[in-house]
C-alpha cells in the first residue's frame, strides 16, 4: 500500500491494545488517544519544510532550523476533537478548523452539519484528524472539502482503519498520505470496524 503508514512501534502497539479494551474508561481512553496521536504525528510531520533561524545561546550564535509551514488541524467532529490538544502541545502555532460530519446510520454516508473553515485557506498543510477510518466516507468527504477550499497538501492522521476505508481513500485521494496505528480485519454489516474499539466518540466522551 503506497502512501499508507501504519506504525509498528512497540509503544504504539501497547497503547492501542489498552485503547481497544472494553474495560478502559473514558479518562484513560482520552489520554491514550492523545499519546498515540503524538507518536503518529512524529512520523506524519517528518517531511515538513523548515527555514533557517539564528538564536543567541549564552555562549555564541546558533544557526538552526525552524518549522516553515503553516499547519491547519481539521478535527472531524466529534471524535477528532480528542486529537487536537495533544497536537497543539507539539505545534502550538497550528490553526484549527472544525468540520462536523456524522455517519447516517442507515446509509453510512457522511452528513455535514458544521463547517468553520474561513473564506480562504490561511495554512499550507492540513492534517485531517479522526480516530476511525471505517468506510472512509467521512475522511474522503473532509478531504474533498479541503481541496475545494484550496489546500493541496493534506494528510490524514487516524488511529484505527478498516481495509475498506483505506481502499476508498486510496481510490479517491491517492495523494493524501494516511498515518495510522492499525489496519484491522474488516467492517461488520453495520459499518463498525472489527475488532476495532467500538464507537470512538462515545468512548471518549462517555456517552455510550
Ligand atoms: C465516526 C468516526 C468517523 C466516522 C468514520 O464518527 O469518528 O468520523 O464515524 O466512519 P466512516 O469512515 O464510515 O465515515 P460518527 O459518525 O460516529 O460521529 P461522532 O464522532 O459524532 O460519534
Ligand atoms: N466509527 C467508530 O467510532 N467506530 C467504528 O468502528 C466505525 C465508525
Amino acid at each position: 500500500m503506497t502512501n499508507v503508514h501504519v506504525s509498528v512501534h512497540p509503544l504504539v502497539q501497547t497503547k492501542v491494545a489498552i485503547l481497544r479494551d472494553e474495560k478502559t474508561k473514558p479518562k484513560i481512553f482520552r489520554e491514550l488517544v492523545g499519546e498515540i496521536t503524538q507518536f503518529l504525528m512524529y512520523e506524519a510531520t517528518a517531511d515538513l519544510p523548515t527555514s533557517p533561524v539564528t538564536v543567541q545561546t549564552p555562549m555564541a550564535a546558533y544557526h538552526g532550523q525552524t518549522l516553515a509551514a503553516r499547519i491547519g488541524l481539521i478535527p472531524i467532529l466529534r471524535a477528532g476533537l480528542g486529537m487536537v490538544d495533544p497536537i497543539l502541545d507539539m505545534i502550538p502555532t497550528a490553526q484549527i478548523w472544525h468540520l462536523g460530519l456524522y455517519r447516517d446510520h442507515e446509509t453510512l454516508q457522511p452528513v455535514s452539519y458544521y463547517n468553520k473553515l474561513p473564506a480562504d485557506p490561511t495554512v499550507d498543510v492540513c492534517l485531517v484528524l479522526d480516530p476511525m477510518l471505517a468506510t472512509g466516507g467521512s475522511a474522503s468527504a473532509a478531504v474533498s472539502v479541503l481541496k475545494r477550499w484550496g489546500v493541496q497538501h493534506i494528510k490524514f492522521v487516524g488511529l484505527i482503519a478498516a481495509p475498506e476505508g483505506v481502499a476508498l481513500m486510496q481510490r479517491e485521494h491517492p495523494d493524501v498520505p494516511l498515518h495510522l496505528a492499525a489496519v484491522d480485519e474488516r467492517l461488520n454489516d453495520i459499518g463498525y470496524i472489527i475488532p476495532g474499539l467500538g464507537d470512538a466518540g462515545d468512548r471518549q466522551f462517555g456517552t455510550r
Side-chain angles (χ1 to χ4, degrees):
M1 289 184 293
T2 55
N3 243 359
V4 182
H5 309 272
V6 184
S7 177
V8 292
H9 196 292
L11 299 185
V12 171
Q13 292 178 339
T14 301
K15 289 176 189 296
V16 166
I18 304 170
L19 187 77
R20 292 178 189 272
D21 189 334
E22 65 180 0
K23 294 192 293 300
T24 299
K25 298 275 190 293
K27 179 175 188 298
I28 303 296
F29 191 93
R30 286 192 294 270
E31 289 171 5
L32 288 163
V33 166
E35 291 164 5
I36 298 165
T37 297
Q38 288 187 327
F39 275 108
L40 299 180
M41 280 295 294
Y42 188 76
E43 285 303 324
T45 54
D47 63 352
L48 292 181
T50 58
S51 57
V53 67
T54 299
V55 298
Q56 185 69 34
T57 81
M59 313 303 290
Y62 169 75
H63 307 288
Q65 297 289 318
T66 189
L67 183 64
R70 298 168 302 170
I71 308 298
L73 307 181
I74 321 295
I76 301 181
L77 309 182
R78 286 176 299 172
L81 285 175
M83 301 169 74
V84 171
D85 281 349
I87 299 179
L88 283 177
D89 287 342
M90 304 173 80
I91 312 176
T93 55
Q95 302 175 29
I96 301 146
W97 310 115
H98 296 86
L99 280 185
L101 295 169
Y102 72 86
R103 281 199 318 179
D104 180 278
H105 285 298
E106 298 295 324
T107 65
L108 298 183
Q109 292 304 305
V111 180
S112 170
Y113 64 90
Y114 191 75
N115 179 332
K116 202 61 183 171
L117 304 180
D120 300 304
T122 51
V123 293
D124 306 306
V125 180
C126 282
L127 301 175
V128 176
L129 311 175
D130 195 326
M132 308 305 275
L133 183 68
T135 65
S138 303
S140 179
V143 168
S144 296
V145 167
L146 295 176
K147 286 182 175 174
R148 283 197 297 275
W149 191 46
V151 176
Q152 292 310 322
H153 195 166
I154 303 168
K155 298 172 183 239
F156 177 85
V157 183
L159 304 192
I160 304 207
E164 293 89 335
V166 171
L168 185 83
M169 286 297 283
Q170 295 217 288
R171 213 164 45 243
E172 297 193 344
H173 301 292
D175 55 309
V176 174
L178 308 178
H179 292 270
L180 303 164
V183 178
D184 280 6
E185 291 167 27
R186 62 184 171 88
L187 293 177
N188 69 7
D189 56 3
I190 54 167
Y192 274 77
I193 300 174
I194 303 298
L197 50 69
D199 187 302
D202 284 348
R203 294 200 61 185
Q204 280 184 81
F205 301 118
T207 49
R208 190 153 48 149

